[in-house]
Amino acid sequence: MLKNQYLKNVLADVEKRSGGEKEFLQAVTEVFESLEPVIDADPKFEKNGVMQRIVEPERMIVFRVSWVDDNGNVQVNRGYRVQFNSAIGPYKGGLRLHPSVNASVIKFLGFEQIFKNSLTGLPIGGGKGGSDFDPKGKSDGEIMRFCQSFMTELAKHIGADVDVPAGDIGVGGREIGYLFGQYKRLRNEYTGVLTGKGLTYGGSLARTEATGYGLCYYTEEMLKCMKSDSLAGKTVVVSGSGNVAIYACQKATTLGAKVVAMSDSNGYIYDPNGINLAVVKQIKEVERGRIKEYVNRVDGATYTEGCRGIWSIKCDVALPCATQNELDGDSAALLIKNGVMAVAEGANMPSTPEAIAAFQNAGVLFGPAKAANAGGVATSALEMSQNSMRYSWTFEEVDAKLHDIMVNIFHNSYNAAEKYGMKGNLVAGANIAGFLKVAEAMIAQGIAY
Ligand code: NDP
Ligand code: 2IT
């Protein structure tokens, strides 16, 4: 519970004005609780109105996306782009295509992105966007027409030095290609306006792998510094089977761990021999199929309906890589009972506040999303750098930079928590370290009356 009166007032105001936006309120509440000692220690944040400014997006664009399906019927979806904070760089953040997308989801993601992007140490502000369009079951032509219609409006609001979108749930290389093509057609300019591009037209090597790899680099550093341990020999559960989950599984395996389970929104697979990632990649990346197909191709694996059950599997390390609030208090209790030693978040806000509290109280190492999954956006920023230079680095060069960035994020968060009397609390440390840079920049740039 908050004690600082300034923070209490601002949070009450957010609640009043964004009452129904439960995911956004959840994200703001967590950040405010972490920042209490920082706000207590220096009156300049209140004097400059930093908190009431940081919770209000600089701009939120909501737009109609109409497109024609394969049967000739007109379809309408709602598009969003929140340009949350540009204090330290152009707005940067992904686009999500999923039926659950609404203003609250986009605002929570955009708010988190401010602090995550700051933690990378690179000059990128916070933004996020997407639509309630459901890509499941759509033909390639339908995906293309939707992306073109979406970009027809979005193009008016973005630019390489203004706002640079990328992928998120439901947006991968195929969608970025269609979006980029339409931007180029409309604006007649070839710039790094999107990241996650294909390698033949300005994409960066290692961007596809970056979020999952970065998650494992962060986890490895956390285990090393806080438990003198490593991923080698550990049993790992990874939820999801999309971009983040697949490359988290790949890197964890390379580092000597055994990943025994993965999932999608319908259910989870358990493979005691260790996940055969080539099979998962074929099913999910090539066939765009369902994870349950795995058991038809790999002996000894089982499939269970329902995605939450994955947390009942005994493991040393859990990496939630699907979606927000996928790991609740009951799931956390099960993981703890089964002896989990570390949890690191590949998805954005996958653990509920109850789950986080349970892990922290039980002494389980806990790496929060805005630190642990920052490798994706960090590598997007490296893609922007390469586009500006009209140059490309090798896979090894990008991967080495990604590794350094993740190690630095861990240490900056760890040190910030220690400085403010919360040693070992990586949630607080990430929020504080991410916040301070943005807040200083906001104060330095003044307030427009
Ligand atoms: P993908 O679309 O590639 O994969 C998403 C995975 O999560 C799929 O397995 C999907 O299952 C599952 N999933 C999605 N929604 C739900 C749901 N409501 N309930 C259960 N499972 C669900 O997305 P990404 O891998 O890119 O993103 C995963 C998470 O990582 C998100 O939280 C995203 O914000 C975060 N993230 C992504 C980054 C990136 O670079 N891509 C960077 C940092 C964070 P199904 O196929 O059944 O829908
Ligand atoms: O949540 C995220 O950080 C992303 N989806 C990646 C954003 C980006 O701009 O690469």
Side-chain angles (χ1 to χ4, degrees):
M1 282 300 275
L2 288 171
K3 289 192 208 60
N4 181 288
Q5 197 56 45
Y6 170 49
L7 287 175
K8 278 167 84 166
N9 291 347
V10 177
L11 189 62
D13 196 46
V14 175
E15 273 172 29
K16 201 167 80 199
R17 297 166 71 203
S18 334
E21 297 176 347
K22 60 180 177 21
E23 292 86 1
F24 178 54
L25 269 173
Q26 182 182 335
V28 172
T29 304
E30 181 207 283
V31 169
F32 274 32
E33 284 172 357
S34 297
L35 292 178
E36 196 148 35
V38 179
I39 307 301
D40 282 344
D42 194 333
K44 76 178 173 199
F45 300 111
E46 179 170 1
K47 184 163 166 282
N48 287 280
V50 170
M51 302 318 287
Q52 61 268 48
R53 287 196 284 146
I54 213 165
V55 295
E56 190 66 21
E58 290 175 19
R59 198 170 297 104
M60 176 106 173
I61 302 139
V62 183
F63 51 98
R64 178 176 67 207
V65 188
S66 45
W67 54 282
V68 178
D69 68 20
D70 286 348
N71 298 320
N73 296 319
V74 176
Q75 302 285 345
V76 177
N77 289 99
R78 188 170 296 167
Y80 299 88
R81 185 74 185 166
V82 64
Q83 298 182 331
F84 223 118
N85 193 299
S86 62
I88 64 167
Y91 310 106
K92 181 85 198 84
L95 298 171
R96 176 176 292 192
L97 299 182
H98 194 274
S100 63
V101 164
N102 57 33
S104 173
V105 168
I106 296 297
K107 281 176 70 179
F108 115 67
L109 290 164
F111 185 70
E112 291 284 288
Q113 203 81 43
I114 302 170
F115 307 97
K116 181 196 303 191
N117 293 3
S118 168
L119 279 171
T120 67
L122 300 166
I124 39 178
K128 198 85 189 190
S131 174
D132 57 4
F133 173 79
D134 186 358
K136 281 205 188 75
K138 300 290 189 298
S139 71
D140 207 53
E142 289 175 325
I143 298 284
M144 182 177 78
R145 292 194 294 282
F146 172 84
C147 288
Q148 291 175 342
S149 178
F150 185 86
M151 182 52 86
T152 299
E153 177 58 31
L154 189 67
K156 298 169 191 164
H157 310 284
I158 63 175
D161 293 315
V162 179
D163 182 357
V164 182
D168 194 82
I169 292 177
V171 176
R174 172 180 62 167
E175 292 74 21
I176 294 293
Y178 294 145
L179 292 162
F180 183 76
Q182 184 70 351
Y183 182 87
K184 195 161 59 66
R185 253 170 239 121
L186 290 166
R187 299 285 279 262
N188 194 27
E189 66 176 40
Y190 206 113
T191 51
V193 66
L194 291 156
T195 59
K197 298 185 292 298
L199 298 176
T200 55
Y201 60 95
S204 173
L205 286 160
R207 174 61 189 91
T208 304
E209 294 83 357
T211 312
Y213 278 23
L215 174 66
C216 292
Y217 296 150
Y218 177 95
T219 306
E220 188 80 343
E221 194 66 14
M222 175 170 80
L223 287 167
K224 180 172 133 195
C225 296
M226 296 175 77
K227 285 257 199 285
S228 301
D229 208 333
S230 75
L231 276 165
K234 299 291 178 298
T235 299
V236 177
V237 165
V238 177
S239 66
S241 49
N243 172 264
V244 179
I246 284 174
Y247 293 97
C249 177
Q250 187 177 91
K251 183 53 78 176
T253 307
T254 310
L255 292 171
K258 181 159 88 168
V259 179
V260 294
M262 291 181 84
S263 61
D264 63 19
S265 55
N266 292 114
Y268 66 92
I269 51 164
Y270 173 63
D271 187 342
N273 300 317
I275 294 284
N276 181 334
L277 196 61
V279 173
V280 173
K281 286 179 79 167
Q282 172 67 25
I283 296 167
K284 300 303 286 190
E285 291 184 342
V286 181
E287 299 167 21
R288 297 182 188 275
R290 309 306 299 161
I291 198 75
K292 71 172 170 210
E293 179 55 30
Y294 184 90
V295 297
N296 297 330
R297 303 185 194 183
V298 179
D299 287 342
T302 54
Y303 174 75
T304 310
E305 281 290 327
C307 41
R308 269 188 215 272
I310 195 170
W311 306 122
S312 66
I313 297 170
K314 185 173 165 52
C315 62
D316 304 306
V317 176
L319 304 176
C321 296
T323 194
Q324 64 272 5
N325 294 327
E326 56 164 310
L327 200 172
D328 61 9
D330 291 342
S331 308
L334 273 176
L335 283 166
I336 293 164
K337 190 174 91 173
N338 287 331
V340 73
M341 67 184 291
V343 178
E345 299 184 315
N348 283 306
M349 207 168 77
S351 312
T352 64
E354 296 73 30
I356 298 173
F359 291 134
Q360 291 181 329
N361 291 336
V364 174
L365 301 185
F366 182 78
K370 58 174 74 72
N373 75 28
V377 75
T379 307
S380 279
L382 299 176
E383 183 172 328
M384 290 164 72
S385 304
Q386 294 169 82
N387 292 161
S388 300
M389 290 189 288
R390 306 208 187 283
Y391 187 73
S392 26
W393 292 317
T394 63
F395 189 97
E396 289 69 27
E397 284 173 299
V398 180
D399 191 36
K401 290 183 204 300
L402 168 64
H403 184 266
D404 284 355
I405 289 167
M406 298 314 297
V407 167
N408 284 336
I409 290 174
F410 170 79
H411 288 285
N412 290 342
S413 306
Y414 186 89
N415 294 340
E418 187 168 29
K419 181 172 172 200
Y420 285 93
M422 294 180 281
K423 190 170 175 188
N425 183 341
L426 299 172
V427 174
N431 285 328
I432 293 168
F435 168 78
L436 284 172
K437 181 176 170 191
V438 176
E440 295 292 351
M442 287 173 73
I443 294 169
Q445 292 169 31
I447 300 162
Y449 290 90

